[in-house]
CSV table of all heavy atoms in Angstrom, one decimal:
chain,number,residue,atom,x,y,z
T,1,THR,N,-63.1,52.3,17.1
T,1,THR,CA,-62.4,51.3,16.2
T,1,THR,C,-63.4,50.3,15.6
T,1,THR,O,-63.0,49.3,15.1
T,1,THR,CB,-61.4,50.6,17.1
T,1,THR,OG1,-62.1,50.0,18.2
T,1,THR,CG2,-60.3,51.5,17.6
T,2,GLU,N,-64.7,50.7,15.6
T,2,GLU,CA,-65.7,49.8,15.1
T,2,GLU,C,-66.2,50.3,13.8
T,2,GLU,O,-66.4,51.5,13.6
T,2,GLU,CB,-66.9,49.7,16.1
T,2,GLU,CG,-66.5,49.1,17.4
T,2,GLU,CD,-66.0,47.7,17.4
T,2,GLU,OE1,-66.6,46.9,16.5
T,2,GLU,OE2,-65.1,47.3,18.1
T,3,VAL,N,-66.4,49.4,12.8
T,3,VAL,CA,-66.9,49.7,11.5
T,3,VAL,C,-68.3,49.0,11.3
T,3,VAL,O,-68.5,47.8,11.6
T,3,VAL,CB,-66.0,49.2,10.4
T,3,VAL,CG1,-66.6,49.4,9.0
T,3,VAL,CG2,-64.6,49.9,10.5
T,4,THR,N,-69.3,49.8,10.8
T,4,THR,CA,-70.6,49.3,10.6
T,4,THR,C,-70.9,49.5,9.1
T,4,THR,O,-71.3,50.5,8.6
T,4,THR,CB,-71.7,50.0,11.4
T,4,THR,OG1,-71.4,49.9,12.8
T,4,THR,CG2,-73.1,49.3,11.1
T,5,TRP,N,-70.6,48.4,8.3
T,5,TRP,CA,-70.8,48.5,6.8
T,5,TRP,C,-70.8,47.1,6.3
T,5,TRP,O,-70.1,46.2,6.8
T,5,TRP,CB,-69.7,49.3,6.2
T,5,TRP,CG,-70.0,49.8,4.8
T,5,TRP,CD1,-69.5,49.3,3.7
T,5,TRP,CD2,-70.8,50.8,4.5
T,5,TRP,NE1,-70.0,49.9,2.6
T,5,TRP,CE2,-70.9,50.9,3.0
T,5,TRP,CE3,-71.6,51.8,5.2
T,5,TRP,CZ2,-71.6,51.8,2.4
T,5,TRP,CZ3,-72.4,52.7,4.5
T,5,TRP,CH2,-72.3,52.7,3.1
T,6,PRO,N,-71.6,46.8,5.2
T,6,PRO,CA,-72.4,47.7,4.4
T,6,PRO,C,-73.7,48.1,5.1
T,6,PRO,O,-74.2,47.4,5.9
T,6,PRO,CB,-72.7,46.9,3.1
T,6,PRO,CG,-71.7,45.8,3.1
T,6,PRO,CD,-71.5,45.5,4.6
T,7,GLN,N,-74.3,49.2,4.6
T,7,GLN,CA,-75.6,49.7,5.1
T,7,GLN,C,-76.4,50.2,3.8
T,7,GLN,O,-75.8,50.5,2.8
T,7,GLN,CB,-75.5,50.8,6.1
T,7,GLN,CG,-74.8,50.4,7.4
T,7,GLN,CD,-74.8,51.6,8.4
T,7,GLN,OE1,-75.9,52.0,8.8
T,7,GLN,NE2,-73.6,52.0,8.7
T,8,GLU,N,-77.7,50.2,4.0
T,8,GLU,CA,-78.5,50.7,2.9
T,8,GLU,C,-78.5,52.2,2.9
T,8,GLU,O,-78.5,52.9,3.9
T,8,GLU,CB,-80.0,50.3,3.2
T,8,GLU,CG,-80.2,48.8,3.0
T,8,GLU,CD,-80.0,48.3,1.6
T,8,GLU,OE1,-80.3,49.1,0.6
T,8,GLU,OE2,-79.5,47.2,1.4
T,9,LEU,N,-78.4,52.7,1.6
T,9,LEU,CA,-78.4,54.2,1.4
T,9,LEU,C,-79.5,54.5,0.4
T,9,LEU,O,-79.6,53.8,-0.6
T,9,LEU,CB,-77.0,54.6,0.9
T,9,LEU,CG,-75.8,54.4,1.7
T,9,LEU,CD1,-74.5,54.7,0.9
T,9,LEU,CD2,-75.8,55.2,3.0
T,10,SER,N,-80.1,55.6,0.6
T,10,SER,CA,-81.1,56.1,-0.3
T,10,SER,C,-80.7,57.4,-1.0
T,10,SER,O,-81.0,57.7,-2.1
T,10,SER,CB,-82.5,56.2,0.3
T,10,SER,OG,-82.4,57.2,1.4
T,11,GLU,N,-80.0,58.2,-0.2
T,11,GLU,CA,-79.5,59.5,-0.7
T,11,GLU,C,-78.1,59.7,-0.2
T,11,GLU,O,-77.8,60.6,0.6
T,11,GLU,CB,-80.4,60.7,-0.3
T,11,GLU,CG,-81.8,60.6,-0.9
T,11,GLU,CD,-82.6,61.8,-0.5
T,11,GLU,OE1,-82.1,62.7,0.1
T,11,GLU,OE2,-83.8,61.8,-0.8
T,12,PRO,N,-77.1,59.0,-0.8
T,12,PRO,CA,-75.7,59.1,-0.3
T,12,PRO,C,-75.0,60.4,-0.7
T,12,PRO,O,-74.0,60.8,-0.2
T,12,PRO,CB,-75.0,57.9,-0.8
T,12,PRO,CG,-75.8,57.6,-2.1
T,12,PRO,CD,-77.2,57.9,-1.8
T,13,LYS,N,-75.5,61.0,-1.8
T,13,LYS,CA,-74.9,62.1,-2.5
T,13,LYS,C,-73.5,61.8,-3.0
T,13,LYS,O,-73.1,60.6,-3.0
T,13,LYS,CB,-74.8,63.3,-1.5
T,13,LYS,CG,-76.2,63.8,-1.0
T,13,LYS,CD,-76.1,65.1,-0.2
T,13,LYS,CE,-77.5,65.5,0.2
T,13,LYS,NZ,-77.5,66.7,1.1
T,14,GLY,N,-72.8,62.7,-3.5
T,14,GLY,CA,-71.5,62.4,-4.0
T,14,GLY,C,-71.5,61.5,-5.2
T,14,GLY,O,-72.5,61.4,-5.9
T,15,LYS,N,-70.4,60.8,-5.4
T,15,LYS,CA,-70.3,59.8,-6.5
T,15,LYS,C,-71.4,58.7,-6.4
T,15,LYS,O,-72.0,58.4,-7.4
T,15,LYS,CB,-68.9,59.2,-6.6
T,15,LYS,CG,-68.7,58.3,-7.8
T,15,LYS,CD,-67.3,57.9,-7.9
T,15,LYS,CE,-67.0,57.0,-9.1
T,15,LYS,NZ,-65.6,56.6,-9.3
T,16,LEU,N,-71.6,58.2,-5.2
T,16,LEU,CA,-72.5,57.1,-5.0
T,16,LEU,C,-74.0,57.6,-5.3
T,16,LEU,O,-74.8,56.9,-5.9
T,16,LEU,CB,-72.4,56.6,-3.6
T,16,LEU,CG,-71.2,55.7,-3.3
T,16,LEU,CD1,-71.2,55.3,-1.8
T,16,LEU,CD2,-71.1,54.5,-4.2
T,17,GLY,N,-74.2,58.8,-4.9
T,17,GLY,CA,-75.5,59.4,-5.2
T,17,GLY,C,-75.8,59.5,-6.7
T,17,GLY,O,-76.9,59.3,-7.2
T,18,ALA,N,-74.8,60.0,-7.4
T,18,ALA,CA,-75.0,60.1,-8.9
T,18,ALA,C,-75.1,58.8,-9.6
T,18,ALA,O,-76.0,58.6,-10.4
T,18,ALA,CB,-73.7,60.8,-9.5
T,19,LEU,N,-74.4,57.8,-9.1
T,19,LEU,CA,-74.5,56.4,-9.7
T,19,LEU,C,-75.9,55.9,-9.4
T,19,LEU,O,-76.5,55.2,-10.3
T,19,LEU,CB,-73.4,55.5,-9.2
T,19,LEU,CG,-72.0,55.8,-9.6
T,19,LEU,CD1,-71.0,54.9,-8.8
T,19,LEU,CD2,-71.8,55.6,-11.1
T,20,LEU,N,-76.4,56.1,-8.2
T,20,LEU,CA,-77.7,55.6,-7.8
T,20,LEU,C,-78.8,56.3,-8.6
T,20,LEU,O,-79.7,55.6,-9.1
T,20,LEU,CB,-77.9,55.8,-6.3
T,20,LEU,CG,-79.0,55.1,-5.6
T,20,LEU,CD1,-78.8,53.5,-5.7
T,20,LEU,CD2,-79.1,55.5,-4.2
T,21,GLU,N,-78.7,57.6,-8.8
T,21,GLU,CA,-79.7,58.3,-9.6
T,21,GLU,C,-79.7,57.8,-11.0
T,21,GLU,O,-80.8,57.8,-11.6
T,21,GLU,CB,-79.4,59.8,-9.5
T,21,GLU,CG,-80.5,60.7,-9.9
T,21,GLU,CD,-80.7,60.8,-11.4
T,21,GLU,OE1,-79.7,60.7,-12.1
T,21,GLU,OE2,-81.8,61.0,-11.9
T,22,LEU,N,-78.6,57.4,-11.6
T,22,LEU,CA,-78.6,57.0,-13.0
T,22,LEU,C,-79.4,55.7,-13.1
T,22,LEU,O,-80.0,55.5,-14.1
T,22,LEU,CB,-77.1,56.7,-13.4
T,22,LEU,CG,-76.3,58.0,-13.8
T,22,LEU,CD1,-74.8,57.6,-14.0
T,22,LEU,CD2,-76.8,58.6,-15.0
T,23,VAL,N,-79.3,54.8,-12.1
T,23,VAL,CA,-79.9,53.4,-12.3
T,23,VAL,C,-81.1,53.1,-11.5
T,23,VAL,O,-81.7,52.1,-11.8
T,23,VAL,CB,-78.8,52.4,-12.0
T,23,VAL,CG1,-77.5,52.6,-12.8
T,23,VAL,CG2,-78.4,52.5,-10.5
T,24,GLU,N,-81.5,54.0,-10.6
T,24,GLU,CA,-82.7,53.7,-9.8
T,24,GLU,C,-83.9,53.7,-10.6
T,24,GLU,O,-84.0,54.4,-11.7
T,24,GLU,CB,-82.7,54.7,-8.6
T,24,GLU,CG,-83.0,56.1,-9.0
T,24,GLU,CD,-83.0,57.0,-7.8
T,24,GLU,OE1,-82.9,56.6,-6.7
T,24,GLU,OE2,-83.0,58.3,-8.1
T,25,PRO,N,-85.0,53.1,-10.2
T,25,PRO,CA,-86.3,53.1,-10.9
T,25,PRO,C,-86.7,54.6,-11.0
T,25,PRO,O,-86.8,55.3,-10.0
T,25,PRO,CB,-87.2,52.3,-10.0
T,25,PRO,CG,-86.4,51.4,-9.2
T,25,PRO,CD,-85.1,52.1,-9.0
T,26,GLY,N,-87.1,55.0,-12.2
T,26,GLY,CA,-87.4,56.4,-12.5
T,26,GLY,C,-86.2,57.3,-12.6
T,26,GLY,O,-86.4,58.5,-12.8
T,27,GLY,N,-85.0,56.7,-12.6
T,27,GLY,CA,-83.8,57.5,-12.7
T,27,GLY,C,-83.5,57.9,-14.2
T,27,GLY,O,-84.3,57.7,-15.1
T,28,THR,N,-82.4,58.5,-14.4
T,28,THR,CA,-82.0,59.0,-15.7
T,28,THR,C,-82.1,58.0,-16.8
T,28,THR,O,-82.7,58.2,-17.8
T,28,THR,CB,-80.6,59.7,-15.6
T,28,THR,OG1,-80.6,60.7,-14.7
T,28,THR,CG2,-80.2,60.2,-17.0
T,29,ILE,N,-81.4,56.9,-16.6
T,29,ILE,CA,-81.3,55.9,-17.7
T,29,ILE,C,-82.7,55.3,-18.0
T,29,ILE,O,-83.0,55.1,-19.1
T,29,ILE,CB,-80.3,54.8,-17.3
T,29,ILE,CG1,-78.9,55.4,-17.3
T,29,ILE,CG2,-80.3,53.6,-18.3
T,29,ILE,CD1,-77.7,54.5,-17.0
T,30,GLU,N,-83.4,55.0,-16.9
T,30,GLU,CA,-84.8,54.4,-17.1
T,30,GLU,C,-85.7,55.4,-17.9
T,30,GLU,O,-86.4,55.0,-18.8
T,30,GLU,CB,-85.4,54.0,-15.8
T,30,GLU,CG,-86.7,53.3,-16.0
T,30,GLU,CD,-87.3,52.8,-14.7
T,30,GLU,OE1,-86.8,51.8,-14.2
T,30,GLU,OE2,-88.3,53.4,-14.3
T,31,SER,N,-85.5,56.7,-17.6
T,31,SER,CA,-86.4,57.7,-18.3
T,31,SER,C,-85.9,57.8,-19.7
T,31,SER,O,-86.8,58.0,-20.6
T,31,SER,CB,-86.3,59.0,-17.6
T,31,SER,OG,-85.0,59.6,-17.7
T,32,PHE,N,-84.6,57.7,-20.0
T,32,PHE,CA,-84.1,57.7,-21.4
T,32,PHE,C,-84.7,56.5,-22.1
T,32,PHE,O,-85.1,56.6,-23.3
T,32,PHE,CB,-82.6,57.7,-21.4
T,32,PHE,CG,-82.0,59.0,-21.1
T,32,PHE,CD1,-80.6,59.1,-20.7
T,32,PHE,CD2,-82.7,60.2,-21.2
T,32,PHE,CE1,-80.0,60.3,-20.4
T,32,PHE,CE2,-82.1,61.4,-20.9
T,32,PHE,CZ,-80.8,61.5,-20.5
C-alpha cells in the first residue's frame, strides 16, 4: 500500500520514453 513517486527515469520506454527522447540533449528535436 506504499507509493514511491516521483522518481528519476532515464529510460522509461513507452510514451514517457518517446517524450524524453524528443526533448533530451542530443534528442530528436535538438538534432533537428
Side-chain angles (χ1 to χ4, degrees):
T1 57
E2 299 296 323
V3 174
T4 305
W5 196 258
Q7 296 185 64
E8 290 295 326
L9 298 172
S10 59
E11 295 183 6
K13 299 184 179 180
K15 184 174 183 177
L16 288 176
L19 293 173
L20 196 61
E21 196 280 330
L22 283 171
V23 301
E24 66 185 351
T28 298
I29 292 178
E30 185 176 287
S31 67
F32 283 160

